[in-house]
Amino acid sequence: MHVTQLRQPPDSDVVIACTAKRQLMMWHYSPGAAFRTFTARQTWMEAVLVVQPVEGEPSVIYSACADGHVLRWELDADLNADSYRVGEEMPLHDSNVLAMVYSHDLEALITASQDTTIRVHWHNLRQHKTGMDSVQGIISSMEETGVRTIRLGATQRFKEAPAAADESVPGGTTRLAMVEEDPAVESGAPILDVVLSHEGRVTGLALLPDWTLASVSHDRTIRLWDLHTFKLMKTVKDAHETPLQGINYSSSKEEFVTWAMDNFAYVWDAVTLNTKYALVGHTAEVTQARWVEFKECWVTAGDDDTLRTWSPTGTQLHQFTYMGGSVQCLFVDNANSMVLAAMLDKVTRAYDLESKHPAIKYVGHEEVVRGIDYLPEKGLYITGSWDESLRLWYRVGHPNNTPRGPAAFDDLTEGNNIKDREGVRRQMQQLPPLEIPKALQDVKTDLVQLFLTNMASDEMGQRQDSPLVDLSGLGSQLGDLDRKLVKDLEAAAPAKSGTIRRGSKQGIPFSTMSRSQRRASRARHDSNQRPVGVRQMSI
């Protein structure tokens, strides 16, 4: 479609265009639309993690896939834009990667999977020093009881090695996995992956102080691992009566929360592993829980379609009812005081926890969103979805996402008897480009007419010979209406002959007119029968 003129009304979020086919197009800016979209593998995205390995350098994005692979995304400097490309693909697990954390102490990525394993992976030995010394230090201690599993190559599967009858780690297993040699490392030392395991799928990870890793699983246990020796420190059996679904740690409170297939969540002491209190109030299964630092409270989401906030002692503070289905992912943005909830309707909503209404809705994914994180240097949220894509979104209050005229839309619809303005606004946001919103197809305002006049002028400000006639089909509709009125007037003529006939003046019989009067009457009649597509009428 060829656009001939393009204008934006001052201080508005509307763009108006005129095409070569004499059509009027209008676009309304949607702050909830995606800024960028990236795809790499034809598989679901299960988790997203943003890491800034070195302060002041660009962040690195990790996306976990349903086939057990993890992709490392890096900023594409060649494009000189906020675009990311895959820098490395890491086959770490045999099935879905359900959780990821990054240890700055180890400088390593830690992943948890449906295959019951936890993997500690170093992707760059040149940056990793302390963690590698720890790995080398535990080799001798593990050889005393036998290495449980060795991976000989990046393309080879696990190969079992002899193990001692007495497990080195009671209640869990520790394995070493040796992957391919990194050619960039001058020493030629291989990269060693450490694999920890549960008896069920591992659904959550949390980094605790003093080099401690906490993990939860469908085997209903909470396990603490020492990241110095990669040995199991403590185990809480039957932490819930149902399989555990996740864990979240509060550094300011030195507590962590766990939730399972129950209608409550437990808050634990991170040091003693004793239960401190329960968050009880939901009438259906709790699906997500997080500590909100900027509000100093816990927030939980349940299948009862409510978000609830809790005091540090477990007392319920507020309750927000939402529409959109079960919350699949919850992210707390303490830097901008926002809580993002990705729901079953594929929409991500941002709440400030002051109002029950979301501050913004991010719409664009075609499937459920499974991971959310924040790029601080860009001011962008990033989401990963089952539609096999990553998308970037402007945060609330971003300079590029600030509406230029909050009343611009009201000006366009004022006086047009549009009762549900918010409904029209949502409809405009959902419509694709180059399509006129239905709510505005039969509407014409002074502001639109003003810009029609401007777009009908050339660059020197002079009017064109032929004015615009097709106003979204309005001109042809008015012409049809005019012709119909003429026919109705003719059909309504009196039955007496010689009185008002076609083309005659009111009350003067056609037969008594002079020749010049008859000629003028026929001319007026013929002009009324011509198409009136160019006629301008005010409505």
Side-chain angles (χ1 to χ4, degrees), residues 254-461:
E254 293 188 350
E255 299 170 349
F256 62 83
V257 61
T258 60
W259 60 97
M261 297 179 182
D262 307 312
N263 58 358
F264 57 87
Y266 282 139
V267 178
W268 305 76
D269 189 306
V271 179
T272 63
L273 285 188
N274 293 327
T275 305
K276 300 190 69 172
Y277 49 88
L279 306 178
V280 182
H282 284 281
T283 59
E285 179 182 330
V286 175
T287 58
Q288 296 289 327
R290 297 291 188 275
W291 171 256
V292 183
E293 189 66 37
F294 68 89
K295 283 289 185 181
E296 295 187 351
C297 68
W298 296 101
V299 60
T300 57
D303 279 341
D304 56 0
D305 295 337
T306 61
L307 285 172
R308 301 173 189 249
T309 58
W310 312 81
S311 70
T313 60
T315 304
Q316 181 172 320
L317 300 176
H318 300 285
Q319 175 180 328
F320 305 93
T321 302
Y322 60 81
M323 303 295 292
S326 177
V327 174
Q328 302 296 300
C329 182
L330 203 62
F331 175 74
V332 178
D333 179 13
N334 289 307
N336 300 290
S337 302
M338 283 289 167
V339 175
L340 278 70
M343 301 180 184
L344 201 59
D345 62 352
K346 311 166 192 174
V347 178
T348 301
R349 295 166 171 83
Y351 296 88
D352 57 9
L353 299 186
E354 294 288 346
S355 171
K356 63 180 181 180
H357 301 292
I360 193 172
K361 297 179 182 179
Y362 296 112
V363 183
H365 277 293
E366 299 176 359
E367 292 293 342
V368 174
V369 175
R370 297 289 294 173
I372 308 174
D373 214 322
Y374 179 63
L375 284 163
E377 69 271 21
K378 300 293 183 181
L380 300 170
Y381 295 118
I382 181 168
T383 57
S385 168
W386 281 354
D387 62 6
E388 305 171 357
S389 71
L390 294 176
R391 299 183 187 233
L392 297 179
W393 318 79
Y394 284 121
R395 64 169 174 83
V396 178
H398 192 284
N400 293 343
N401 202 31
T402 303
R404 298 191 178 186
F409 183 84
D410 297 332
D411 293 339
L412 283 176
T413 58
E414 185 177 1
N416 291 315
N417 197 25
I418 298 179
K419 297 180 180 180
D420 186 10
R421 295 175 184 268
E422 289 299 320
V424 176
R425 189 190 300 272
R426 289 192 298 270
Q427 182 184 8
M428 292 180 67
Q429 293 175 355
Q430 295 174 1
L431 287 173
L434 299 178
E435 183 174 341
I436 304 170
K438 294 181 179 179
L440 296 179
Q441 286 182 354
D442 298 328
V443 174
K444 177 180 167 186
T445 65
D446 294 337
L447 181 59
V448 175
Q449 181 63 30
L450 174 63
F451 276 87
L452 284 175
T453 304
N454 291 338
M455 286 187 289
S457 303
D458 57 15
E459 296 299 331
M460 300 301 295

Side-chain angles (χ1 to χ4, degrees), residues 38-60:
F38 312 107
T39 57
R41 290 178 55 82
Q42 300 299 316
T43 183
W44 294 356
M45 299 289 184
E46 292 283 359
V48 174
L49 180 65
V50 174
V51 177
Q52 193 172 24
V54 181
E55 186 177 356
E57 292 188 1
S59 297
V60 176

Side-chain angles (χ1 to χ4, degrees), residues 122-129 132 182 185 187 189-191:
W122 292 271
H123 64 83
N124 191 345
L125 276 180
R126 290 172 294 178
Q127 294 182 0
H128 175 71
K129 300 297 181 183
M132 192 62 205
D182 187 355
V185 181
S187 62
I191 302 176

Side-chain angles (χ1 to χ4, degrees), residues 460-475:
M460 300 301 295
Q462 299 175 354
R463 291 294 181 88
Q464 296 176 352
D465 295 335
S466 58
L468 298 176
V469 297
D470 188 4
L471 309 181
S472 305
L474 187 60

Side-chain angles (χ1 to χ4, degrees), residues 65-376:
C65 304
D67 58 0
H69 290 220
V70 175
L71 304 181
R72 179 171 60 86
W73 301 75
E74 56 190 21
L75 195 63
D76 192 347
D78 296 337
L79 296 180
N80 194 23
D82 296 327
S83 180
Y84 289 79
R85 63 183 179 186
V86 176
E88 182 182 4
E89 180 177 344
M90 299 169 282
L92 301 182
H93 295 274
D94 295 330
S95 58
N96 298 36
V97 180
L98 303 178
M100 294 188 298
V101 293
Y102 185 85
S103 172
H104 288 275
D105 295 329
L106 288 177
E107 298 181 9
L109 179 69
I110 305 176
T111 57
S113 171
Q114 186 176 348
D115 61 9
T116 75
T117 64
I118 304 169
R119 180 177 291 274
V120 183
H121 177 75
W122 292 271
H123 64 83
N124 191 345
L125 276 180
R126 290 172 294 178
Q127 294 182 0
H128 175 71
K129 300 297 181 183
T130 308
M132 192 62 205
D133 296 338
S134 300
V135 174
Q136 298 288 359
I138 69 169
I139 293 179
S140 58
S141 63
M142 295 192 66
E143 286 178 347
E144 296 177 0
T145 56
V147 178
R148 187 59 185 265
T149 304
I150 301 177
R151 189 176 182 183
L152 298 177
T155 59
Q156 298 178 0
R157 301 183 64 84
F158 287 114
K159 178 180 179 181
E160 293 294 334
D166 185 16
E167 292 287 350
S168 61
V169 182
T173 57
T174 302
R175 305 181 294 184
L176 282 182
M178 185 177 298
V179 299
E180 282 185 339
E181 192 175 285
D182 187 355
V185 181
E186 296 180 357
S187 62
I191 302 176
L192 297 177
D193 278 8
V194 177
V195 182
L196 317 174
S197 65
H198 280 259
E199 278 70 48
R201 67 167 64 180
V202 186
T203 54
L205 298 173
L207 289 172
L208 308 185
D210 301 327
W211 291 60
T212 304
L213 175 70
S215 61
V216 297
S217 168
H218 272 202
D219 59 13
R220 298 188 298 166
T221 64
I222 303 173
R223 299 184 179 181
L224 299 188
W225 307 85
D226 187 348
L227 294 181
H228 284 290
T229 62
F230 300 100
K231 291 185 178 181
L232 184 64
M233 298 168 55
K234 297 180 182 179
T235 300
V236 178
K237 296 183 178 180
D238 298 326
H240 286 255
E241 295 181 356
T242 56
L244 276 75
Q245 299 297 309
I247 182 174
N248 181 252
Y249 175 66
S250 168
S251 57
S252 61
K253 301 293 294 181
E254 293 188 350
E255 299 170 349
F256 62 83
V257 61
T258 60
W259 60 97
M261 297 179 182
D262 307 312
N263 58 358
F264 57 87
Y266 282 139
V267 178
W268 305 76
D269 189 306
V271 179
T272 63
L273 285 188
N274 293 327
T275 305
K276 300 190 69 172
Y277 49 88
L279 306 178
V280 182
H282 284 281
T283 59
E285 179 182 330
V286 175
T287 58
Q288 296 289 327
R290 297 291 188 275
W291 171 256
V292 183
E293 189 66 37
F294 68 89
K295 283 289 185 181
E296 295 187 351
C297 68
W298 296 101
V299 60
T300 57
D303 279 341
D304 56 0
D305 295 337
T306 61
L307 285 172
R308 301 173 189 249
T309 58
W310 312 81
S311 70
T313 60
T315 304
Q316 181 172 320
L317 300 176
H318 300 285
Q319 175 180 328
F320 305 93
T321 302
Y322 60 81
M323 303 295 292
S326 177
V327 174
Q328 302 296 300
C329 182
L330 203 62
F331 175 74
V332 178
D333 179 13
N334 289 307
N336 300 290
S337 302
M338 283 289 167
V339 175
L340 278 70
M343 301 180 184
L344 201 59
D345 62 352
K346 311 166 192 174
V347 178
T348 301
R349 295 166 171 83
Y351 296 88
D352 57 9
L353 299 186
E354 294 288 346
S355 171
K356 63 180 181 180
H357 301 292
I360 193 172
K361 297 179 182 179
Y362 296 112
V363 183
H365 277 293
E366 299 176 359
E367 292 293 342
V368 174
V369 175
R370 297 289 294 173
I372 308 174
D373 214 322
Y374 179 63
L375 284 163

